[in-house]
Amino acid sequence: MTGLLGQPRVHLATLPTPLQPAPRLSAEAGVEIWLKRDDLTGLGLGGNKVRGLEFLVADALARRCDHLVTGGGPGSNWAMLAALAARVHGLGATLVCYGDRVPAVGNTALAALVGTTVRFTGDPDRTSVDTGVETVAQELRVLGRHPYVLGRGGATPVGALGYVHASVELAGQLAAVGVGPRGIWLATGSCGTQAGLHAGAHWQGLGPVTGVTVSRPVAECVERVTALSAKAAERIGVPPPATPPTVLGGHLGPGYGHRSAEGEAAAALVARTEGVFLDPVFAAKAMAGLLAAAARGDVTGPLVFLVSGGAPTLFTTPPLVS
Ligand SMILES: Cc1ncc(COP(=O)(O)O)c(C=O)c1O
């Protein structure tokens, strides 16, 4: 199908996801917060990556590819959802994880359940995935297959369209409840989600988008979001964002994939006040960043916070590997 953005798109998500007021959280934070529930997108246990995969799988099918190759850590939400989306649409799937082989639990077990091949690079460096996926793709080509290769996180201009589309959905929901947001907050990892929102929010007049980085340095995120958002906007023929993206550092805690004390406290507050679980790797740390900014008096509401999913990692014992 082609939809709103005039781009090929397969159906994976149950949309729109709810936009919910969070009155008890807002009272504790001292700023009005609304929750955009993208943990409820459906496909597997849901999450932000499902939106981008609607465009990426459509692109793979349009290119007549028969196998999706991507990767990440053994706990990667992205990798599992990419494999699941591929399988649902009749493609094979291979995931490449960095590090040594570990028992299949959490996201890796869920990927294996649907017949995904999972390989390990044997190298703890996260970037070893990037060469690993190319190696697998080459092996598949030799066998006469047509691989669709995606880097960690699926952060491409096509993948970013998922959150350009989400911005249109969000703009409609905000208008329906008469809320003019002063900003949108989310967790930023590979930057595709923020890039799509940055482009879409500019297009739809939704105010600045603040990404709290949970893995990469701030400058690298700014560069990636700027480039991806401009390319996504160009793809659909809307003006590129006029301002640079805002990326906030300082909330990584002990490292990517590790729980942080302030993230755990933020997640506990959101669960206690609103009955919503934030994953420890991404959204918990982003909420910690938002609560800290509110405590400093740096933000005014109403704000929208993206609950981005990651349910499988709620049950993983630390350290998590994403
Ligand atoms: C639950 C969750 N939230 C947020 C993100 C960050 O999204 P992005 O990689 O597009 O920056 C991810 C990425 O995997 C995720 O799994």
Side-chain angles (χ1 to χ4, degrees):
M1 66 180 178
T2 53
L4 191 62
L5 306 181
Q7 302 287 312
R9 180 176 160 220
V10 300
H11 175 75
L12 292 169
T14 304
L15 301 177
T17 57
L19 174 69
Q20 297 176 341
R24 293 163 296 270
L25 173 63
S26 301
E28 296 264 357
V31 62
E32 184 182 340
I33 299 171
W34 288 69
L35 299 176
K36 178 63 173 162
R37 297 292 306 277
D38 274 13
D39 52 325
L40 302 178
T41 53
L43 189 71
L45 296 172
N48 60 330
K49 296 295 174 177
V50 179
R51 289 186 185 266
L53 282 162
E54 291 197 327
F55 292 92
L56 290 166
V57 170
D59 190 43
L61 294 172
R63 292 168 189 274
R64 304 199 176 284
C65 294
D66 55 17
H67 201 103
L68 187 140
V69 185
T70 189
S76 168
N77 301 310
W78 151 253
M80 182 277 282
L81 285 167
L84 190 59
R87 300 297 288 139
V88 164
H89 281 278
L91 306 176
T94 299
L95 299 181
V96 177
C97 299
Y98 56 82
D100 293 325
R101 181 169 289 279
V102 290
V105 291
N107 275 315
T108 315
L110 296 175
L113 180 70
V114 295
T116 305
T117 304
V118 183
R119 305 230 313 219
F120 288 80
T121 65
D123 180 345
D125 187 344
R126 295 213 301 263
T127 61
S128 64
V129 168
D130 307 344
T131 40
V133 292
E134 281 308 331
T135 305
V136 170
Q138 199 44 40
E139 288 171 13
L140 288 165
R141 285 186 199 108
V142 168
L143 294 174
R145 309 290 298 275
H146 301 284
Y148 188 75
V149 184
L150 284 167
R152 289 171 287 145
T156 70
V158 172
L161 293 178
Y163 273 88
V164 179
H165 184 267
S167 307
V168 180
E169 177 183 307
L170 180 59
Q173 290 175 313
L174 287 163
V177 290
V179 169
R182 304 290 293 270
I184 302 170
W185 282 63
L186 78 156
T188 287
S190 67
C191 302
T193 305
Q194 188 175 355
L197 274 179
H198 185 54
H202 175 257
W203 178 33
Q204 298 291 310
L206 290 182
V209 178
T210 302
V212 179
T213 178
V214 301
S215 61
R216 296 164 198 266
V218 169
E220 185 183 334
C221 292
V222 169
E223 203 176 300
R224 285 171 67 90
V225 173
T226 303
L228 281 168
S229 58
K231 285 185 189 145
E234 187 187 332
R235 245 191 129 79
I236 56 164
V238 302
T243 50
T246 304
V247 179
L248 186 67
H251 297 281
L252 177 59
Y256 177 56
H258 294 254
R259 292 172 190 266
S260 71
E262 63 163 5
E264 297 299 285
L269 174 67
V270 177
R272 176 169 59 77
T273 53
E274 302 297 338
V276 172
F277 294 126
L278 301 184
D279 81 289
V281 180
F282 295 96
K285 292 180 182 180
M287 180 56 79
L290 170 51
L291 294 174
R296 289 192 303 270
D298 285 355
V299 286
T300 44
L303 299 173
V304 175
F305 180 84
L306 182 74
V307 183
S308 48
T313 60
L314 288 170
F315 309 102
T316 318
T317 47
L320 305 152
V321 192
S322 286

